[in-house]
Amino acid sequence: MVSRPGGEMASRPLHFIFLCDGSGSMSIGGKIEALNAAIREAIPKMQEVAKENVHAQIWVRAIKFADRAEWHIGAPVKVEDFSWTDLTADGLTALGSALELAAEQLRVAVMPERGLPPVLVLITDGEPTDDFRKGLRRLFAEPWGKRAVRVAIAIGEEARMSVLEDFIADPEIKPLLAKNADQLHGYIRWASTVVLRAASSPPSVPRKEASAGGPATHLPIVAPVTPAAPSAADEVW
Amino acid sequence: MQYILTNVATVTGESSGESYRVGRLLGGGGQGEVYIASGGGQELALKWYFPESATPAQRHALEKLVELPPPSPRFLWPSELATAGGVRSFGYLMPLRPERFKSLFDLMKRRIEPTFRTLLTAGLALADSYWQLHAKGLCYCDISFGNVFFDPANGDVLICDNDNVSIDRKSDGRVPGTPRFMAPEVVLGEPPSSDSDRFSLAVLLFYMLHVHHPLEGAKEHAIHCLDMPALRKLFGEEPIFIFDPENAANRPVAGDQDNAEIYWKIYPRSLRELFTRVFTRGLRDPRDGRVRETEWRDELVRVRDGIFYCANCRGENFYQPEALASLGPHGQLCWSCGKALRLPLRLRYEDNKVSNVVMLNHDTRLFAHHLVGGRQRFDFGAPLAEVTRHPADASRWGLKNLSTVPWYFTPRESDTTVEVLPGRAASLLDGARIAFGPVVGEVRA
């Protein structure tokens, strides 16, 4: 029997970028180890999302920021082939540079002609030590940066939530505060699955979220599951 | 790893009081997660809502749904609500989906390669299923890739995620639907209804048969970043059918949107006309412009009956009466190898004053909706006839009686009628008539 003609359904690329804090404070209390473990565990879930997503080809990479920002995983990797290389922590919190680095790769000249909104997931435990505003301006100056779905996860109470809110720049989406390793796992899994799914093929959403305040300009993303109350041992960072 | 029911060992069925052990996670979606649950000597699926989705409105809707019987066995219908001690939120139990059923994601990604016949059988079963749901005064509200499964071997279908089903025209809009499948009026803020279900069904059928969306042409191609405002414009504010006969502004773009063009040419005109109606007039006229499920059912059966094989490459082709009329018996070319096609023998019969034609291929089987007439239910599990070879002479073909009643066979221009008992076969001779009961068929070469 001759197979039916044609190819697989047309889809668009979606770039997913982790922006990970690798500053010295992340080495305290096992934070960087928890971050590495959480991203590792999220990968198979991202791959499941990709399998059920016919509208997107998902590409993943990661930026580390400490004394300076650098590509931890520079060349975009198809999510099906993505694996995580552990981060180490040392130095300052050059978040502004990290945003500039991301913006550089979101330039129209660099991005594909057609795509889905990129997803930027920022994970940090502190406050920027460089010119964060400059980095943010640079990011928002890029059409793909402005249209990106941006979520942020604060590790512990030390993180400056107002900075994360400015990064997200959408009153409907709040930064998440992970107080322990379990919560960090839950939030990274949420960012890697629910947010990824929403950006690539928006899910069914409750009406009030879809149409609040006229035309929806932001992606309707169901808030993450709040992990169960932690045990005392999990509170130690 | 954190799941909602990570630390929950059992849940309790609210009406049965039965305790169900929570097993492995099967999958997650926007509203919650699905687990295996075992109890009362059976394995079931358990959907558990994220706290944000576990609203009183959702609970109320489920309480009503579990009281209703499933519209057909193809619906994996909620059987009862479930709760767990000390856990916010709730869930419901439903039958498990057997492994042989695959998702439409697999179809779109070409991870499975069913035949045209299987796809049309699945489409017909879907149209029939939603018709049964609508006939009970309900609407589904979220027909899309994620909640339909089918068996690529035979076209059986299952419909999942029935927790969004509402009373028609009284939907509370808990879930307006999935972008790309939502009717334009729903994208613009109207609540879903059986009318919008009919739009979503048409999108689903178009996707299945073309591996492409009916509104994604040049307009979609021109958009750089396909974000929510872009989706709203394409599917809500300014939708244009890619094959709108009166508006060529949104044709598929060669190179990037080839599937639509490839398939559109293969199907019979009658099927293309239904898609054209629902995606032109039906975009603006939800009530009367949309193709009804029974129309899809009749058309998909007709197209399925019109499948025949290219003698050269064995590719499935479709009987196109208009091509036969304009181009002659060998004027239609195979879409696969380009060679002229030769029509096989055909059975022509009348039912309800409608003339029908079934191609008689080496593997054709006929069912109650063909031979019994009077709008029998579609049951592809119980054939009443099949094309067969003569046991002693492979060049002779016959139609074998698999039913329990005799048929009556009359050769062309003959007064002699021969009884064809169950288990026997009638020769397929040009002009012969076979009385199957109330339905009488004529073999045509």
Side-chain angles (χ1 to χ4, degrees):
Chain A
M1 180 74 73
V2 178
S3 291
R4 287 157 37 255
E8 65 178 70
M9 202 179 87
S11 59
R12 286 172 173 246
L14 182 155
H15 286 280
F16 187 105
I17 304 176
F18 285 112
L19 297 144
C20 300
D21 188 340
S23 63
S25 57
M26 287 287 288
S27 66
I28 302 163
K31 281 186 258 186
I32 198 77
E33 289 79 8
L35 171 61
N36 284 324
I39 294 181
R40 266 181 209 290
E41 287 199 30
I43 293 169
K45 300 291 147 199
M46 291 176 86
Q47 289 166 340
E48 277 175 34
V49 170
K51 201 173 171 211
E52 291 200 348
N53 201 312
V54 290
H55 303 292
Q57 313 134 33
I58 300 163
W59 299 84
V60 190
R61 55 192 139 162
I63 289 172
K64 173 192 169 178
F65 52 96
D67 282 340
R68 61 192 182 86
E70 61 187 7
W71 283 100
H72 178 58
I73 297 169
V77 182
K78 267 186 155 176
V79 68
E80 293 84 353
D81 304 324
F82 185 69
S83 61
W84 184 248
T85 307
D86 279 350
L87 284 167
T88 53
D90 185 26
L92 301 171
T93 309
L95 174 55
S97 304
L99 300 184
E100 288 197 53
L101 206 55
E104 175 66 22
Q105 289 302 309
L106 294 177
R107 282 182 301 129
V108 170
V110 179
M111 285 292 282
E113 196 182 342
R114 282 174 299 282
L116 289 160
V119 177
L120 305 181
V121 179
L122 171 61
I123 309 157
T124 180
D125 76 334
E127 57 182 293
T129 52
D130 66 349
D131 192 346
F132 164 71
R133 297 276 152 213
K134 186 175 158 220
L136 200 60
R137 277 196 304 275
R138 176 86 176 74
L139 181 68
F140 289 171
E142 295 299 336
W144 289 100
K146 199 165 56 184
R147 288 183 170 81
V149 177
R150 298 174 303 274
V151 295
I153 302 168
I155 304 178
E157 311 273 5
E158 306 287 301
R160 270 275 288 282
M161 297 306 262
S162 63
V163 164
L164 303 187
E165 281 169 10
D166 291 346
F167 166 74
I168 295 170
D170 181 344
E172 301 275 336
I173 304 175
K174 295 287 173 208
L176 302 166
L177 174 60
K179 292 182 180 168
N180 56 62
D182 270 357
Q183 286 187 338
L184 181 63
H185 278 231
Y187 292 155
I188 288 184
R189 184 166 74 95
W190 169 78
S192 314
T193 55
V194 177
V195 175
L196 178 59
R197 200 183 287 125
S200 48
S201 178
S204 306
V205 289
R207 171 155 300 276
K208 62 179 172 51
E209 289 187 40
S211 60
T217 52
H218 67 281
L219 277 163
I221 302 170
V222 176
V225 180
T226 309
S231 68
D234 290 329
E235 288 283 25
V236 181
W237 284 95
Chain B
M1 180 65 76
Q2 284 288 344
Y3 299 115
I4 358 179
L5 291 183
T6 297
N7 299 317
V8 175
T10 59
V11 298
T12 306
E14 215 167 60
S15 48
S16 68
E18 186 78 54
S19 178
Y20 293 92
R21 202 162 51 79
V22 179
R24 70 184 169 90
L25 180 81
L26 293 173
Q31 293 176 303
E33 291 171 340
V34 180
Y35 299 81
I36 286 189
S38 46
Q42 58 179 339
E43 283 206 322
L44 296 167
L46 168 69
K47 174 161 176 178
W48 200 264
Y49 292 99
F50 293 135
E52 294 77 9
S53 299
T55 58
Q58 184 65 69
R59 177 175 249 283
H60 182 66
L62 275 168
E63 284 166 352
K64 295 220 155 164
L65 286 176
V66 297
E67 285 172 15
L68 298 171
S72 89
R74 296 191 189 112
F75 289 85
L76 296 179
W77 202 252
S79 53
E80 64 175 321
L81 270 92
T83 51
V87 180
R88 278 197 299 156
S89 183
F90 55 86
Y92 68 89
L93 293 148
M94 64 189 143
L96 267 177
R97 169 169 54 87
E99 282 286 315
R100 70 184 171 96
F101 288 91
K102 307 296 178 195
S103 79
L104 294 188
F105 301 120
D106 290 337
L107 179 69
M108 294 301 128
K109 287 280 195 184
R110 310 299 291 251
R111 293 188 283 250
I112 50 174
E113 281 298 341
T115 60
F116 278 113
R117 183 182 300 278
T118 302
L119 276 184
L120 290 160
T121 309
L124 160 65
L126 286 172
D128 191 52
S129 302
Y130 293 117
W131 176 74
Q132 291 188 55
L133 181 88
H134 292 153
K136 290 179 168 54
L138 302 170
C139 65
Y140 187 85
C141 304
D142 190 18
I143 296 173
S144 59
F145 284 146
N147 44 47
V148 168
F149 294 84
F150 81 110
D151 183 341
N154 60 22
D156 283 352
V157 303
L158 285 179
I159 297 168
C160 307
D161 292 345
N162 293 292
D163 48 339
N164 298 322
V165 169
S166 301
I167 306 290
D168 195 16
R169 323 260 163 221
K170 289 192 179 150
S171 165
D172 58 10
R174 271 173 289 129
V175 170
T178 300
R180 292 186 175 84
F181 286 89
M182 288 152 73
E185 72 274 12
V186 177
V187 175
L188 298 179
E190 293 288 314
S193 66
S194 59
D195 292 330
S196 62
D197 273 359
R198 276 185 275 277
F199 184 88
S200 307
L201 171 63
V203 172
L204 192 70
L205 293 173
F206 193 92
Y207 257 134
M208 289 170 71
L209 295 176
H210 298 81
V211 200
H212 194 81
H213 192 283
L215 307 178
E216 289 186 11
K219 297 276 183 193
E220 185 266 348
H221 197 262
I223 293 168
H224 297 299
C225 182
L226 194 64
D227 55 6
M228 286 293 274
L231 289 170
R232 184 181 164 91
K233 188 171 171 190
L234 282 176
F235 304 117
E237 291 159 356
E238 299 172 15
I240 304 171
F241 182 37
I242 53 176
F243 297 118
D244 187 328
E246 290 169 13
N247 184 354
N250 196 25
R251 293 282 183 260
V253 175
D256 285 329
Q257 298 171 332
D258 291 336
N259 278 350
E261 288 277 12
I262 290 171
Y263 284 101
W264 185 247
K265 287 182 219 153
I266 293 177
Y267 296 117
R269 188 171 66 189
S270 51
L271 180 64
R272 297 197 304 259
E273 283 172 352
L274 283 193
F275 279 125
T276 302
R277 165 148 62 97
V278 65
F279 295 127
T280 54
R281 188 181 157 205
L283 289 172
R284 297 171 291 276
D285 182 356
R287 208 71 209 259
D288 300 315
R290 299 201 173 141
V291 176
R292 306 201 69 83
E293 301 86 327
T294 47
E295 291 179 275
W296 283 124
R297 218 174 51 180
D298 293 349
E299 179 58 21
L300 294 171
V301 166
R302 196 159 34 237
V303 177
R304 188 184 184 279
D305 284 343
I307 291 174
F308 66 101
Y309 304 105
C310 170
N312 179 54
C313 73
R314 315 297 296 155
E316 291 173 286
N317 281 268
F318 296 95
Y319 174 58
Q320 310 219 16
E322 66 280 2
L324 193 65
S326 62
L327 303 171
H330 303 301
Q332 193 181 331
L333 304 180
C334 173
W335 61 261
S336 174
C337 69
K339 293 261 166 54
L341 292 165
R342 201 175 66 207
L343 280 179
L345 289 169
R346 315 174 279 292
L347 185 75
R348 185 179 295 274
Y349 67 96
E350 231 179 57
D351 180 26
N352 266 343
K353 302 196 171 148
V354 176
S355 179
N356 300 284
V357 179
V358 188
M359 300 294 113
L360 295 172
N361 302 301
H362 66 281
D363 58 354
T364 295
R365 295 167 133 201
L366 304 175
F367 302 90
H369 64 268
H370 296 113
L371 303 187
V372 178
R375 293 217 165 267
Q376 288 290 311
R377 295 211 42 74
F378 297 97
D379 179 2
F380 292 103
L384 298 182
E386 68 179 4
V387 171
T388 183
R389 270 183 209 269
H390 191 282
D393 180 356
S395 68
R396 285 175 64 192
W397 290 93
L399 191 63
K400 188 173 182 181
N401 184 351
L402 301 178
S403 77
T404 55
V405 298
W407 301 341
Y408 296 94
F409 172 79
T410 312
R412 168 186 249 166
E413 292 168 11
S414 167
D415 297 332
T416 314
T417 293
V418 184
E419 196 176 40
V420 184
L421 291 169
R424 306 296 298 271
S427 281
L428 292 177
L429 303 175
D430 185 20
R433 277 174 295 124
I434 307 173
F436 301 103
V439 172
V440 178
E442 185 185 350
V443 179
R444 304 286 287 266

